[in-house]
Amino acid sequence: MLKEVKVKALVLDKNHNTPVVILGMDNNPMVLPIWIGSCEAMALSLALENADFPRPLTHDLLINTIEALDAQVSKVVIDSLRENTYYAKLVIKDLAYSDLEDDPSAMIEIDCRPSDAIVIATKKHIPIYTSDEIMLEGGIKLNETSQKEDEKEFKKFVENMHIEDFRDYFRDIQNQNKSEKKKEGNGGEKDS
Amino acid sequence: MLKEVKVKALVLDKNHNTPVVILGMDNNPMVLPIWIGSCEAMALSLALENADFPRPLTHDLLINTIEALDAQVSKVVIDSLRENTYYAKLVIKDLAYSDLEDDPSAMIEIDCRPSDAIVIATKKHIPIYTSDEIMLEGGIKLNETSQKEDEKEFKKFVENMHIEDFRDYFRDIQNQNKSEKKKEGNGGEKDS
């Protein structure tokens, strides 16, 4: 059965120097951590902060393209965990085909990584779903006294990390231009 | 008038520690350098290397989504340079609307950054165009004896840089997972 989850945190796993997005449900101690890449984490960080850029970032281009093709993003589903890798689907509604609310025949599912799904969901305020099976297999109960050393370590870093630490990790990349320049260093230009 | 350009190099401007994509034409000494962000450069680097990943990267998701919506990418155009920033358009053909070759009424233009346009063009082997005006304003003649010190410096770094240096710059990011993991460090997992 699918359950709606929300982004609880974007943190840095210091042991592996890898960003981790933490998904969770309201009134439930289980969280689902997903280890993601640096650039994917930066895109998510900017989406979570609702950062405004003068030019469309890649996920903005994806959303704008979907809308230009008379479709809209409807929801995202993290629906599979195989060989330690999470799989997700971006669910798009083709408005040219049907404008009925929740018409299943108008829904198109596109295979994607969880990070792309979560960035799009964050930007467009659409729900993120996952299954009980995935929460059971990949989830961690934050308030539980764990017997496993690695879970204890994980709990420790989740409890101690927050987006500011993450941003420090990314300062260099964050400072990169998001508008693409003719030439830098001629004076008067700012990172945007 | 629009002219087709190709990616001549992806290099690192060491003075600003910023990646630069160099576009050029066959049999023409003029090149067009565009300063881009780190993550955008990594996506382009992977596209230029034709790197294969088990999971779709963000630009793959964009292309797959366009094709799932019965459309296809047709060409990209770097069509404007305003206040030192380049603007581009992704041109998509809506096959549901018309399957005639080059039917202008089926073409949809989406505003984007040059880097996204160039990554998509590289992945899908579609042409990249720009205008004479942009080549004149932003282009640099590599074989010309330049009076300007900054152009001399630029020529020097273009002549001395190549993709291997660029990859060194990116080694840390390149080593990040492109599949999104349940948990790292449990043994047996490889970066993919």
Side-chain angles (χ1 to χ4, degrees):
Chain A
M1 178 162 168
L2 293 180
K3 295 258 170 69
E4 186 170 350
V5 288
K6 292 194 164 121
V7 177
K8 292 291 181 191
L10 179 59
V11 299
L12 184 70
D13 172 359
K14 281 183 172 166
N15 290 334
H16 305 97
N17 208 34
T18 303
V20 186
V21 55
I22 313 281
L23 301 175
M25 288 177 262
D26 290 335
N27 306 316
N28 190 320
M30 291 291 284
V31 295
L32 185 70
I34 302 178
W35 275 252
I36 64 176
S38 302
C39 289
E40 292 74 11
M42 188 174 77
L44 180 55
S45 159
L46 297 173
L48 288 169
E49 289 170 27
N50 210 9
D52 199 26
F53 287 104
R55 302 292 301 136
L57 305 185
T58 310
H59 292 92
D60 300 318
L61 173 60
L62 174 51
I63 291 164
N64 294 344
T65 301
I66 290 168
E67 294 175 354
L69 286 166
D70 202 14
Q72 65 187 30
V73 292
S74 174
K75 63 186 171 193
V76 303
V77 187
I78 298 161
D79 63 349
S80 174
L81 171 56
R82 299 194 298 275
E83 292 174 5
N84 250 9
T85 297
Y86 287 101
Y87 292 74
K89 283 196 175 68
L90 173 63
V91 182
I92 294 173
K93 187 173 181 180
D94 189 345
L95 300 174
Y97 192 81
S98 168
D99 58 5
L100 292 176
E101 188 73 25
D102 287 329
D103 182 347
S105 64
M107 295 297 181
I108 297 170
E109 293 183 349
I110 323 255
D111 175 42
C112 68
R113 297 175 299 169
S115 64
D116 285 326
I118 296 167
V119 172
I120 292 164
T122 303
K123 282 182 180 277
K124 291 300 288 184
H125 309 289
I126 58 169
I128 304 165
Y129 294 99
T130 192
S131 67
D132 289 332
E133 291 75 19
I134 286 176
M135 285 303 284
L136 266 174
E137 197 178 343
I140 289 173
K141 201 174 269 189
L142 275 188
N143 296 334
E144 189 182 54
T145 305
S146 169
Q147 299 303 310
K148 291 185 192 165
E149 213 42 52
D150 60 345
E151 289 200 6
K152 266 190 202 160
E153 271 176 32
F154 176 74
K155 287 197 317 195
K156 205 168 144 198
F157 95 69
V158 167
E159 281 156 11
N160 289 316
M161 295 293 297
H162 41 78
I163 202 158
E164 280 69 30
D165 299 277
F166 178 79
R167 292 201 62 173
D168 287 345
Y169 165 78
F170 263 120
R171 197 163 31 211
D172 288 346
I173 299 178
Q174 291 264 16
N175 285 339
Q176 294 292 339
N177 276 324
K178 290 286 152 202
S179 298
E180 291 166 6
K181 297 298 188 184
K182 178 166 170 271
K183 193 178 279 187
E184 291 190 328
N186 291 340
E189 291 175 55
K190 286 264 163 84
D191 286 351
S192 52
Chain B
M1 179 163 166
L2 292 180
K3 295 258 171 68
E4 185 170 349
V5 288
K6 292 194 165 123
V7 176
K8 292 291 181 190
L10 178 59
V11 299
L12 184 69
D13 173 358
K14 282 185 173 164
N15 290 334
H16 305 97
N17 207 36
T18 303
V20 186
V21 54
I22 312 282
L23 301 174
M25 287 175 265
D26 290 335
N27 306 316
N28 190 322
M30 291 290 284
V31 296
L32 185 69
I34 302 179
W35 275 252
I36 64 176
S38 302
C39 289
E40 293 74 11
M42 188 174 78
L44 180 55
S45 159
L46 297 173
L48 288 168
E49 290 170 27
N50 210 10
D52 199 25
F53 287 103
R55 303 293 300 135
L57 305 185
T58 310
H59 292 92
D60 300 317
L61 174 61
L62 175 51
I63 290 164
N64 294 344
T65 301
I66 290 168
E67 293 175 354
L69 286 166
D70 202 15
Q72 65 187 27
V73 291
S74 174
K75 64 186 170 192
V76 302
V77 188
I78 298 160
D79 63 350
S80 173
L81 171 55
R82 299 195 299 275
E83 292 174 4
N84 248 8
T85 297
Y86 287 102
Y87 292 74
K89 283 196 175 68
L90 173 62
V91 183
I92 295 172
K93 187 172 181 181
D94 188 345
L95 299 174
Y97 193 82
S98 169
D99 57 5
L100 293 175
E101 189 73 25
D102 287 329
D103 181 347
S105 64
M107 296 297 182
I108 297 170
E109 294 183 349
I110 322 256
D111 176 42
C112 67
R113 297 174 300 169
S115 63
D116 285 325
I118 296 166
V119 172
I120 292 164
T122 302
K123 282 182 180 277
K124 291 298 291 183
H125 308 289
I126 57 170
I128 304 165
Y129 294 99
T130 192
S131 67
D132 289 332
E133 292 74 19
I134 286 177
M135 285 304 283
L136 266 174
E137 197 177 342
I140 289 173
K141 202 173 267 188
L142 277 187
N143 296 334
E144 189 183 54
T145 305
S146 167
Q147 300 302 310
K148 290 185 195 167
E149 214 41 52
D150 59 346
E151 289 199 8
K152 268 189 199 160
E153 271 176 33
F154 175 76
K155 286 196 317 195
K156 206 169 147 197
F157 93 69
V158 167
E159 282 156 10
N160 289 316
M161 294 294 298
H162 41 78
I163 202 159
E164 280 71 28
D165 299 277
F166 178 78
R167 291 200 63 173
D168 287 344
Y169 165 77
F170 264 120
R171 198 164 29 212
D172 288 343
I173 298 177
Q174 290 264 17
N175 285 339
Q176 293 293 338
N177 275 324
K178 288 288 154 204
S179 299
E180 292 167 6
K181 297 297 186 185
K182 177 165 169 273
K183 193 178 281 187
E184 291 190 327
N186 292 340
E189 290 176 52
K190 287 263 162 80
D191 284 352
S192 52

